[in-house]
């Protein structure tokens, strides 16, 4: 597998992970809309959580991206530190904007004028907080995985990640 193919595979796993996460966040609204019984919701939730865990392992743990964004700076070389810094700065900007939009939508959903259009956000709000916390932790690694080519096979980074 070439490095470009490996990056595309990482991108696929990142998208799968965030797809499962988005589905988990929207699950309360889906349950309310479809009036699903709790046994069905429990089963769906178990499948979604398993999907999040599986895709998280494939996208972030096995690739070493999680370790890179959560490593102490003195354990990274200068290039890795710069990449991690850029990813952290960019992801925190995105998370800030997303959180402000989410808070704004939640506030608007309680106003009588727009409540009919935003009624779906109320059951989602508690789970949305959990989803945003998860996104805040994984977005830096996702950005690195999306932009950077993985290290070549047998490189020093591969050896360190395997240990």
């Amino acid at each position: 597998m070439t490095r470009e193919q490996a990056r595309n595979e990482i991108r696929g796993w990142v998208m799968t992970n965030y797809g499962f996460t988005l589905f988990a966040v929207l699950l309360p609204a889906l349950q309310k809309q479809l009036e699903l019984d709790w046994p069905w919701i429990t089963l769906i939730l178990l499948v979604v959580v398993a999907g999040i865990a599986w895709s998280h392992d494939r996208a972030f743990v096995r690739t070493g991206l999680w370790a890179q964004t959560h490593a102490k700076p003195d354990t990274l070389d200068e290039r890795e530190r710069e990449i991690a810094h850029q990813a952290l700065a960019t992801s925190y900007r995105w998370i800030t904007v997303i959180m402000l939009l989410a808070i704004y939508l939640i506030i608007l959903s309680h106003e009588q004028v727009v409540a009919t259009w935003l009624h779906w956000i109320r059951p989602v709000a508690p789970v949305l907080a959990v989803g945003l916390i998860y996104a805040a932790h994984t977005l830096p690694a996702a950005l690195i995985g999306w932009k950077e080519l993985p290290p070549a096979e047998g490189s020093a980074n591969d050896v360190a990640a395997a240990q």
Side-chain angles (χ1 to χ4, degrees), residues 16-31 38 41 44-53 55 120 123-132 134:
T16 301
N17 183 259
Y18 285 138
F20 275 118
T21 304
L22 180 62
F23 189 80
V25 167
L26 296 176
L27 191 58
L30 180 68
Q31 187 272 333
W38 283 108
I41 289 297
I44 293 169
L45 186 60
L46 287 173
V47 170
V48 170
V49 169
I52 291 171
S55 58
W120 58 270
V124 169
V127 185
L128 180 62
V130 174
L132 287 172
Y134 178 74

Side-chain angles (χ1 to χ4, degrees), residues 7-124:
R7 178 172 58 185
N8 288 337
E9 184 177 338
I10 292 169
R11 288 175 176 175
W13 283 114
V14 167
M15 290 175 61
T16 301
N17 183 259
Y18 285 138
F20 275 118
T21 304
L22 180 62
F23 189 80
V25 167
L26 296 176
L27 191 58
L30 180 68
Q31 187 272 333
K32 187 174 182 179
Q33 185 70 26
L34 298 178
E35 298 177 358
L36 294 172
D37 293 331
W38 283 108
W40 283 108
I41 289 297
T42 304
L43 178 66
I44 293 169
L45 186 60
L46 287 173
V47 170
V48 170
V49 169
I52 291 171
W54 182 52
S55 58
H56 177 85
D57 179 61
R58 300 292 300 216
F60 303 117
V61 177
R62 290 186 187 194
T63 59
L65 294 171
W66 183 264
Q68 183 177 355
T69 56
H70 290 80
K72 293 181 181 180
D74 57 337
T75 62
L76 302 173
D77 64 29
E78 187 175 332
R79 180 179 175 279
E80 290 172 329
R81 268 195 305 266
E82 181 61 29
I83 290 170
H85 174 74
Q86 288 294 336
L88 287 166
T90 302
S91 67
Y92 291 143
R93 278 187 233 120
W94 286 16
I95 286 294
T96 301
V97 170
I98 293 168
M99 288 179 107
L100 288 173
L101 287 172
I103 291 168
Y104 186 66
L105 283 175
I106 291 167
I107 291 169
L108 281 180
S109 73
H110 289 80
E111 294 293 323
Q112 292 299 325
V113 178
V114 292
T116 56
W117 294 304
L118 293 174
H119 67 280
W120 58 270
I121 194 87
R122 286 185 189 164
V124 169

